[in-house]
Amino acid sequence: QEYFSREKNHEILMSSWETLLKRLKDQRGGVVRVDITCSRPWPKMVAGAADKARSKLVGAGITECFMEISDSCKNARTDTAQPFFVLTHEDGWQVMYHPKKKKEGLLAFRLRDDP
């Protein structure tokens, strides 16, 4: 298949959630980033997003993609750190994407921060 459905994108992110959460706990907070630029089929994730979201995910061109979890970005219902796909654009902006199971997910933008 040429793309991953929104449900599949959600499943991929959530299947990594426990591992990311454990790494976050082990390092006592902060941010955990896992670079998936070369190791995962992230273009299929982008291709499966709704048209409006996809154009924002692609932006000025994608230079890297990773999964991220941070103790500063929590799910409002569960008060637990929420994982995101983060795509870095050529112009330095990053888009954070959390696909939901039943509808298009959250998009947030920030300037790249080099840790």
Side-chain angles (χ1 to χ4, degrees), residues 6-97:
R6 181 181 55 251
E7 293 84 3
K8 180 67 174 175
N9 286 333
H10 177 79
E11 179 185 313
I12 291 168
L13 194 59
M14 297 314 289
S15 69
S16 303
W17 180 63
E18 288 293 330
T19 302
L20 293 169
L21 202 55
K22 182 182 181 323
R23 287 180 62 185
L24 187 64
K25 183 179 176 186
D26 288 348
Q27 73 178 28
R28 295 190 169 101
V31 177
V32 171
R33 290 184 180 143
V34 177
D35 189 341
I36 60 172
T37 306
C38 296
S39 63
R40 302 277 182 168
W42 61 266
K44 289 184 177 186
M45 177 266 294
V46 172
D51 291 344
K52 189 174 180 180
R54 185 172 50 251
S55 69
K56 292 178 180 177
L57 291 172
V58 172
I62 299 167
T63 59
E64 64 183 359
C65 180
F66 50 93
M67 284 192 252
E68 177 179 292
I69 194 166
S70 168
D71 54 6
S72 66
C73 292
K74 295 188 178 182
N75 181 301
R77 280 192 352 251
T78 64
D79 197 38
T80 306
Q82 183 164 318
F84 288 88
F85 290 111
V86 179
L87 296 106
T88 303
H89 295 166
E90 289 182 13
D91 60 6
W93 282 95
Q94 293 180 321
V95 59
M96 299 169 62
Y97 175 54

